[in-house]
Amino acid sequence: MNKIENMHAQMNDLIDMLHLSLNPQAIKMVEDVKDVPADAIWPRRDKGQHLALCQAIALTKREGKTVFFTKEDHWCWNPLIGLGHVKCEPGMDSFEEVSKNLGIADPTAAKEFFAKFPKLEYGKYAGMLMAPAQTAEFEPDVILINCDDNFQLRTLIWGIKSETGQMLETSFDAIDSCIHSIVRPMQDGQYRITIPDPGDQERALASKNEIIMSVPFDRLDELMKGTKAITSRGVGYKGMKMEMKYDFARPPFYNTLYKIWGLDQGEDWEMRS
């Protein structure tokens, strides 16, 4: 099984394990347009209209479309900068204009913040290619998994901890989710959790409980190994059952600990599938 076939199998397993309602998105920055699949939608070329990047991603996550997004397709300023399509450096008029509109009260702090904003190399990429990860015919840079609720996200976080032995660390912003969820993981190779921003909510139909887990492609097997391990223990997304039973059955090691501590023991739970 090659890497693409493995991705398809892993994503189908994940969709089943977490009951995902939205397609995971395979995201790839493309240097040469000859590498773009023939069936990809180019919004401005094929529809004569522009989209925000979050709207293009929504075509993939909601409708299963393969989309190629170029500099000319964008209808939102931020991805143009973050994806390296335009220059916006300290001292430029564009940098000054953006800094004034970040919602940061202190002008100096705003400029310092924006100077550190994640950006890909200027002019390196022709555009971004996106498709459902369970069917995409290319190796992505990053996979975006849109969780519908905190319990799906919890399962992924627990799976990561299971494999790495570490807590997942991330940082949060209220805006610019497209760049934080894609460019940062491409640059540092780390998992990331991102809250959909206002544009994603208003123009790309993101739900109020939706949250994004970014998975660098090279870490997909690690994520899935951990998530499957958690699921097999009966504490994954589908294994948990709501109840308010007192003296409830517990994993056997609970009773081992309680015996050590001289406390009451109870019923061992049966492994849940």
Side-chain angles (χ1 to χ4, degrees):
M1 183 183 296
N2 62 34
K3 288 184 178 181
I4 294 176
E5 291 170 338
N6 177 65
M7 175 178 68
H8 294 168
Q10 299 279 42
M11 288 296 98
N12 281 317
D13 285 347
L14 189 69
I15 290 169
D16 178 65
M17 284 190 294
L18 298 187
H19 286 178
L20 295 176
S21 65
L22 298 169
N23 295 310
Q25 307 109 62
I27 305 290
K28 181 178 181 63
M29 294 304 299
V30 175
E31 296 185 31
D32 193 325
V33 295
K34 69 178 178 58
D35 297 323
V36 178
D39 64 341
I41 298 170
W42 300 44
R44 185 167 176 267
R45 183 195 72 178
D46 298 338
K47 296 181 176 295
Q49 293 180 304
H50 306 85
L51 303 176
L53 179 56
C54 55
Q55 292 177 312
I57 292 173
L59 290 178
T60 294
K61 73 179 181 181
R62 293 186 175 279
E63 301 181 27
K65 306 291 187 184
T66 298
V67 181
F68 183 60
F69 216 60
T70 71
K71 174 181 177 179
E72 290 74 25
D73 293 304
H74 286 269
W75 209 235
C76 182
W77 62 270
N78 177 269
L80 286 168
I81 299 170
L83 300 180
H85 292 314
V86 298
K87 283 189 174 181
C88 188
E89 302 295 339
M92 293 182 171
D93 290 343
S94 57
F95 182 91
E96 297 297 319
E97 187 64 24
V98 170
S99 297
K100 291 188 297 185
N101 289 280
L102 290 177
I104 299 175
D106 183 342
T108 300
K111 292 177 183 180
E112 290 176 351
F113 176 89
F114 191 48
K116 299 175 183 177
F117 194 78
K119 294 189 286 286
L120 298 178
E121 181 181 338
Y122 170 69
K124 181 176 182 179
Y125 298 105
M128 179 187 289
L129 179 63
M130 60 203 87
Q134 68 272 29
T135 58
E137 292 302 323
F138 56 86
E139 293 185 18
D141 297 309
V142 64
I143 296 173
L144 305 184
I145 301 167
N146 292 74
C147 297
D148 304 304
D149 60 58
N150 290 330
F151 298 156
Q152 291 171 334
L153 180 64
R154 179 186 66 197
T155 303
L156 294 172
I157 293 171
W158 203 347
I160 292 168
K161 178 183 174 183
S162 173
E163 285 301 297
T164 65
Q166 298 177 348
M167 293 176 63
L168 190 153
E169 295 185 5
T170 196
S171 56
F172 294 102
D173 197 348
I175 59 173
D176 305 328
S177 57
C178 53
I179 298 305
H180 292 309
S181 64
I182 295 170
V183 175
R184 286 191 183 276
M186 285 182 61
Q187 292 178 329
D188 64 18
Q190 299 300 313
Y191 299 104
R192 184 173 182 83
I193 299 169
T194 308
I195 300 169
D197 73 7
D200 208 340
Q201 177 185 357
E202 289 194 328
R203 291 181 285 275
L205 311 180
S207 69
K208 64 182 179 181
N209 291 323
E210 192 172 323
I211 196 162
I212 307 163
M213 169 69 82
S214 301
V215 183
F217 183 57
D218 289 342
R219 303 192 72 171
L220 176 60
D221 285 345
E222 176 184 75
L223 173 84
M224 291 302 299
K225 184 178 179 181
T227 303
K228 289 176 179 178
I230 294 301
T231 299
S232 70
R233 289 170 50 192
V235 290
Y237 185 73
K238 293 199 297 185
M240 304 301 290
K241 302 292 186 290
M242 289 186 177
E243 61 181 15
M244 274 290 288
K245 179 182 177 183
Y246 304 150
D247 281 342
F248 47 86
R250 302 173 299 175
F253 83 89
Y254 276 53
N255 282 320
T256 300
L257 286 174
Y258 271 54
K259 184 176 181 180
I260 293 171
W261 294 330
L263 298 173
D264 294 341
Q265 292 99 63
E267 179 185 357
D268 288 341
W269 76 0
E270 295 181 5
M271 186 64 68
R272 292 170 282 186
S273 61

